Amino acid sequence: MEIELVTGDITAERVDAIVNAANSSLLGGGGVDGAIHRRGGPAILEECRALRASRYGRGLPVGQAVATTAGRLPARWVIHTVGPVWSATEDRSPLLRQCYEQSLTVAAGLGAASVAFPLISSGVYRWPKEDAATQALTVLRNAPAGIGLVRLVLFDDATRQAAEVARTRLGRP
């Protein structure tokens, strides 16, 4: 299994599945979530509304993951997960790792061989970037069999550098 760290736009990734750092409403928002909904088009929102009307009436819980179509995106599926908000007084890192674990489980269940992730919770949820990357890489290096490529798509060069530092500290892959 290969893990790639790239700077880029997750909505342009040509992989089987991309992961959306969603909010619990599943109805779009800012950051990665808004970009995925805008570029993917109304089919994603339609499936998210159906999920809200059935299984997730109160919204998607933090740490859980669910898949929809990718609409007009080059990927086949979008896997939505809700990251925790960072706290200086409470260790929420198990919830952040759970986002990656659950997303990989959903991807494997779909038969996805390649998955692109954003750095979950590192934007408006204020998780420190290097630690967010450490949490992500700790899980991603143990992707289920069948997933041959995991790509961590980082918003800018500074975030990619933080992820490279985390990967070096953990020891490659």
Side-chain angles (χ1 to χ4, degrees):
M1 197 266 308
E2 182 179 359
I3 296 176
E4 295 178 346
L5 303 179
V6 300
T7 303
D9 175 0
I10 197 163
T11 68
E13 290 296 315
R14 295 189 177 280
V15 291
D16 293 329
I18 64 170
V19 175
N20 179 17
N23 64 54
S24 63
S25 77
L26 293 174
L27 303 178
V32 169
D33 192 21
I36 287 171
H37 276 270
R38 282 190 301 278
R39 184 150 183 209
I44 297 172
L45 183 58
E46 183 178 314
E47 284 193 30
C48 285
R49 282 185 175 142
L51 286 166
R52 285 298 305 271
S54 60
R55 298 187 346 209
Y56 299 105
R58 293 181 177 214
L60 185 64
V62 172
Q64 297 302 303
V66 65
T68 66
T69 180
R72 297 188 302 246
L73 296 170
R76 293 179 62 192
W77 301 285
V78 173
I79 299 169
H80 307 267
T81 190
V82 180
V85 174
W86 184 77
S87 169
T89 60
E90 178 185 351
D91 181 11
R92 298 177 181 167
S93 53
L95 283 170
L96 183 55
R97 289 190 303 272
Q98 187 179 342
C99 291
Y100 290 96
E101 292 163 355
Q102 291 294 309
S103 295
L104 287 170
T105 298
V106 170
L110 293 168
S114 56
V115 186
F117 284 84
L119 193 57
I120 298 166
S121 290
S122 70
V124 298
Y125 288 179
R126 303 179 319 277
W127 205 284
K129 289 177 181 11
E130 189 178 324
D131 188 62
T134 298
Q135 302 303 323
L137 293 167
T138 297
V139 174
L140 298 177
R141 60 184 19 193
N142 297 307
I147 298 178
L149 171 66
V150 173
R151 187 173 294 142
L152 196 55
V153 182
L154 305 152
F155 180 71
D156 56 24
D157 289 332
T159 305
R160 181 170 177 191
Q161 288 173 341
E164 292 286 359
V165 168
R167 178 151 82 175
T168 299
R169 285 195 178 145
L170 287 170
R172 238 169 149 81

